[in-house]
DNA sequence: GACTTTTAAATGTCAGACAAATAAAAAATG
DNA sequence: CATTTTTTATTTGTCTGACATTTAAAAGTC
């Protein structure tokens, strides 16, 4: 592991990149201990604070974990699906909020991906996934629910649907798309009537998944997509009318 | 922005989290300048190196960028799709390599997501996307190509297909799934015959996309999925036979 | 007015020190 | 001898203070 002394980039960034490369390329394996900060400082010919900044960069990406004390140090971390989930969700959320991604674009992506999972979920979902979906439908029927809580339950419902596919890679990919949509969905005011319509569609989806009917699930998801879009159009139209007056 | 003095976690981690929350919740907006390191140190009642470690954590996630010199400092960074791509690819790659995700699981996820894009791509692809796909097919036909180069071209072909959907959110999500598969695909030895079969399927996909025929594209993708799985089964069987002898 | 120089502010880096945690090794105890 | 306690060495976490480097604005010069 070497760094280029001629490079203009931060030393800590270069060191972090060198170690990251070693991990990605498999030269450093999971749970392997990195040299101590003092040794790394020696090796790279920099000071310890600089090494520490590099290690913090890696820790921020869950690539390493550190342990204090004798025989402590920095260890290559096994990137868990859970760690990846949360990173994915943050990144997706910021991506949408900072880049003026339209509601339509985000919505299209989300439902396109979700429809990719539906057939697999219809085939493989466990009773547990189904129970979660049903429970969320019950929650969504409660009259006193705030819009935020309704959205949160919506996310939970869809995550159960996706998880039902029994493919952690799909769940990981979808977690970002589904959760990142939540802030956008929160823009929508759910009237009693629109909630009713959504719950009806959720019920159709759950029924189809329970019956193992991929086609029906897909059709219901398609309708839900279209209905979500019209809801958003209504909100936009209402806002436009208000702003004009 | 405050930190909990009773918490046992690293100060730099706490500070990073506090700033991250402020960004995610929109209290700090894009291109806004953070206080200088000295001011942050004052504010959080810690030393400058600790603040710096926190800032490096954020920089590693592309949440901030730093600029030296007078009127420099740390600025909230607009998370670009490009930044997000590369993060997503690293994360996905490590996730697959570190968690013993089976070839089948990864392959299923990849093609399920890709099939979600195909109908949109058939509808919207530009001549540019189509040209890229055709060019990669030509490359894949070259006899001298190494397996690695063939895989790389395969990835480029599929990225063009996905990008053809014209939905950056989909492209972002898929980038990880497609690219992270590459190391796994590299396990496969592509014989002349298997390359021919794959190129034929690629051609069918490109034709379908050109014709705007979503159904045909989906069918070809489904066949490609199945064929990829059999290729991998052959490799596994060959290895098993070799190991036994 | 256009160009050059100065200057102040900020990050980047370093050196050295101490605190705190931790597990192994050593010592004490029954 | 077995168990418990104490010691000790190692390593990360944090602080202080300093200097180097970069950069853009301000001041000076022609």
């Amino acid at each position: 592991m070497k760094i280029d002394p001629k490079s203009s980039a931060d030393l800590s960034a270069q060191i972090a990149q060198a170690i990251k490369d070693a991990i990605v390329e498999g030269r450093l394996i999971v749970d392997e201990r990195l040299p101590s900060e003092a040794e790394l400082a020696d090796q790279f010919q920099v000071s310890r604070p600089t090494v520490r900044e590099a290690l913090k960069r890696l820790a921020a990406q869950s690539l390493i974990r550190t342990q204090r004390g004798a025989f402590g140090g920095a260890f290559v971390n096994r990137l868990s699906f859970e760690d990846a989930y949360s990173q994915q969700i943050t990144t997706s959320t910021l991506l949408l909020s900072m880049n003026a991604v339209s509601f339509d674009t985000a919505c299209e992506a989300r439902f396109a991906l979700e429809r990719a999972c539906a057939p697999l979920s219809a085939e493989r979902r466990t009773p547990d996934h189904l129970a979660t979906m049903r429970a969320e439908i019950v929650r969504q029927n409660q009259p006193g629910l705030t819009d935020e809580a309704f959205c949160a339950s919506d996310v939970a419902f869809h995550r159960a649907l996706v998880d039902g596919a029994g493919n952690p890679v799909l769940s990981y990919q979808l977690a970002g798309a589904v959760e990142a949509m939540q802030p956008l969905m929160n823009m929508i005011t759910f009237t009693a009537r629109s909630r009713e319509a959504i719950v009806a569609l959720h019920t159709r989806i759950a029924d189809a998944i329970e019956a193992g009917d991929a086609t029906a699930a897909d059709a219901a998801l398609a309708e839900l997509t279209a209905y979500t879009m019209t809801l958003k159009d209504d909100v936009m139209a209402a806002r436009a009318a208000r702003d004009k007056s």
Side-chain angles (χ1 to χ4, degrees), chain A:
Chain A
M1 275 192 313
K2 291 258 167 62
I3 56 175
D4 178 10
K6 282 167 301 212
S7 168
S8 65
D10 292 9
L11 289 173
S12 71
Q14 290 181 61
I15 294 169
Q17 189 61 51
I19 299 176
K20 183 174 176 176
D21 287 345
I23 295 174
V24 171
E25 291 165 20
R27 298 200 307 278
L28 290 171
I29 59 173
V30 167
D31 292 334
E32 185 170 344
R33 182 181 177 280
L34 274 72
S36 73
E37 294 175 354
E39 286 170 319
L40 286 171
D42 242 37
Q43 192 175 317
F44 286 112
Q45 291 284 300
V46 298
S47 68
R48 194 159 82 92
T50 303
V51 167
R52 283 182 60 80
E53 286 178 11
L55 293 180
K56 295 311 162 201
R57 292 177 117 109
L58 299 174
Q61 299 171 273
S62 306
L63 290 177
I64 61 168
R65 61 178 186 278
T66 55
Q67 217 170 357
R68 288 175 75 165
F71 296 78
F75 298 83
V76 177
N77 197 31
R78 161 165 276 119
L79 184 63
S80 67
F81 276 97
E82 251 173 87
D83 286 338
Y85 281 163
S86 55
Q87 283 185 223
Q88 165 84 331
I89 290 169
T90 322
T91 305
S92 299
T93 305
L94 285 174
L95 207 48
L96 295 198
S97 70
M98 284 182 171
N99 288 278
V101 172
S102 73
F103 187 91
D104 288 1
T105 303
C107 199
E108 173 180 281
R110 172 190 159 171
F111 282 110
L113 297 177
E114 223 172 294
R115 284 172 70 182
C117 294
L120 297 170
S121 197
E123 191 185 332
R124 305 191 199 141
R125 91 290 179 291
T126 65
D128 212 42
H129 295 127
L130 209 52
T132 304
M133 292 170 72
R134 299 288 186 198
E136 294 302 336
I137 289 177
V138 169
R139 189 197 310 273
Q140 288 157 23
N141 263 321
Q142 286 172 350
L145 221 58
T146 63
D147 280 352
E148 280 70 23
F150 185 80
C151 281
S153 172
D154 184 69
V155 167
F157 174 87
H158 287 280
R159 285 201 64 157
L161 170 64
V162 170
D163 288 342
N167 186 319
V169 178
L170 275 177
S171 292
Y172 153 68
Q173 298 281 356
L174 270 277
V178 174
E179 302 248 358
M181 274 295 290
Q182 198 169 352
L184 289 176
M185 292 294 285
N186 278 334
M187 297 186 335
I188 297 179
T189 313
F190 293 98
T191 61
R193 208 178 46 182
S194 64
R195 285 194 191 188
E196 203 178 313
I198 290 174
V199 170
L201 284 167
H202 281 174
T203 305
R204 270 181 55 194
I205 293 171
D207 288 347
I209 295 291
E210 181 162 16
D213 186 344
T215 315
D218 188 68
L221 266 171
E223 278 187 51
L224 183 55
T225 312
Y227 186 68
T228 307
M229 297 275 200
T230 61
L231 274 184
K232 166 250 164 190
D233 286 340
D234 291 349
V235 170
M236 288 303 174
R239 282 199 192 166
R242 188 197 59 195
D243 290 349
K244 199 168 18 174
S245 69

